[in-house]
Amino acid sequence: GAVVSQHPSRVICKSGTSVKIECRSLDFQATTMFWYRQFPKQSLMLMATSNEGSKATYEQGVEKDKFLINHASLTLSTLTVTSAHPEDSSFYICSARSASGYTGELFFGEGSRLTVL
Amino acid sequence: DAKTTQPPSMDCAEGRAANLPCNHSTISGNEYVYWYRQIHSQGPQYIIHGLKNNETNEMASLIITEDRKSSTLILPHATLRDTAVYYCIVRVSGNTGKLIFGQGTTLQVKP
């Protein structure tokens, strides 16, 4: 199946710093990518929809100035957690949908675990 | 958006079929049923999806009732590696294609 890769898989940072997470579709073009956050023992929560070449659409309650999303190409979307705080510690997961199909499945990355000290 | 209801947990004996139910009584005509699973600390893995016909692939079978208000995911011969959280999701209509996850069913396959 199609492959979506995230980097880094784990990151530890100090409070107040910014962290960038990359999401790449390795063998297909993704016009749309999605970013999720998952806290321990909870389900995935959709944060935003990232569209290539345009601004991301954020879900209600997600701060767009804190979670900066850039989707500059058909194979790369980035999530930057700005001025990170311990409560931002979470498992961040991206997913991508092929440009060729509305009914096609979404493919997920391996996730990036962020720990803010 | 149509919501789904799944039992929070299920057990299954290794080698037996695992039947995971999902209720989606408010599904609309152009919404698909998707199943994903998440093994601990990994990203979700696509399993199968369908609209109204039953579907089968190398991983599982999906049985959708005629009224489309419920479905069942069948893992024909469960193994210990199938232990995971299984999510039944109804795809939001329109071409944004986003998936909204519920709480899922934690399937524990036991030896």
Side-chain angles (χ1 to χ4, degrees):
Chain A
V3 178
V4 175
S5 178
Q6 282 184 243
H7 177 80
S9 58
R10 292 178 180 272
V11 57
I12 300 172
C13 71
K14 293 181 179 179
S15 186
T17 60
S18 294
V19 174
K20 180 184 287 187
I21 301 170
E22 293 186 346
C23 177
R24 295 181 184 273
S25 56
L26 298 185
D27 52 359
F28 66 99
Q29 293 184 327
T31 54
T32 304
M33 290 184 173
F34 304 90
W35 286 95
Y36 293 82
R37 179 168 57 180
Q38 186 176 33
F39 293 109
K41 298 188 184 302
Q42 294 186 23
S43 185
L44 286 78
M45 185 194 79
L46 180 65
M47 298 175 67
T49 302
S50 169
N51 296 298
E52 186 266 337
S54 64
K55 290 184 178 180
T57 303
Y58 290 82
E59 296 297 307
Q60 190 173 12
V62 178
E63 301 174 60
K64 62 180 181 181
D65 294 330
K66 181 168 185 61
F67 300 99
L68 302 179
I69 293 172
N70 183 280
H71 193 157
S73 77
L74 285 172
T75 60
L76 173 65
S77 175
T78 61
L79 168 69
T80 301
V81 183
T82 62
S83 186
H85 288 93
E87 58 265 31
D88 298 323
S89 297
S90 188
F91 193 49
Y92 291 88
I93 307 168
C94 73
S95 69
R97 178 168 64 88
S98 168
S100 62
Y102 164 63
T103 62
E105 61 269 32
L106 289 176
F107 299 98
F108 286 80
E110 316 95 321
S112 299
R113 188 165 300 284
L114 170 64
T115 302
V116 184
L117 303 177
Chain B
D1 303 334
K3 298 291 190 294
T4 63
T5 304
Q6 298 176 253
S9 64
M10 291 182 65
D11 289 343
C12 177
E14 187 179 18
R16 304 296 294 271
N19 297 285
L20 293 92
C22 179
N23 181 287
H24 33 79
S25 58
T26 59
I27 192 170
S28 58
N30 60 349
E31 290 181 312
Y32 290 72
V33 179
Y34 282 77
W35 283 84
Y36 283 79
R37 72 180 183 184
Q38 186 179 27
I39 296 170
H40 183 63
S41 293
Q42 296 183 23
Q45 177 189 22
Y46 166 81
I47 301 173
I48 200 167
H49 75 283
L51 182 62
K52 51 185 175 182
N53 296 323
N54 297 337
E55 302 288 342
T56 295
N57 63 20
E58 64 278 5
M59 288 184 67
S61 294
L62 173 61
I63 308 298
I64 303 174
T65 58
E66 193 169 341
D67 62 8
R68 304 211 320 126
K69 293 185 177 182
S70 64
S71 61
T72 301
L73 178 74
I74 301 173
L75 307 178
H77 305 287
T79 71
L80 298 179
R81 288 180 294 181
D82 292 322
T83 293
V85 180
Y86 287 77
Y87 296 99
C88 167
I89 304 166
V90 173
R91 177 80 162 259
V92 176
S93 59
N95 62 7
T96 62
K98 58 185 178 181
L99 294 178
I100 305 299
F101 285 78
Q103 295 306 306
T105 296
T106 299
L107 175 67
Q108 182 73 47
V109 180
K110 298 185 174 180

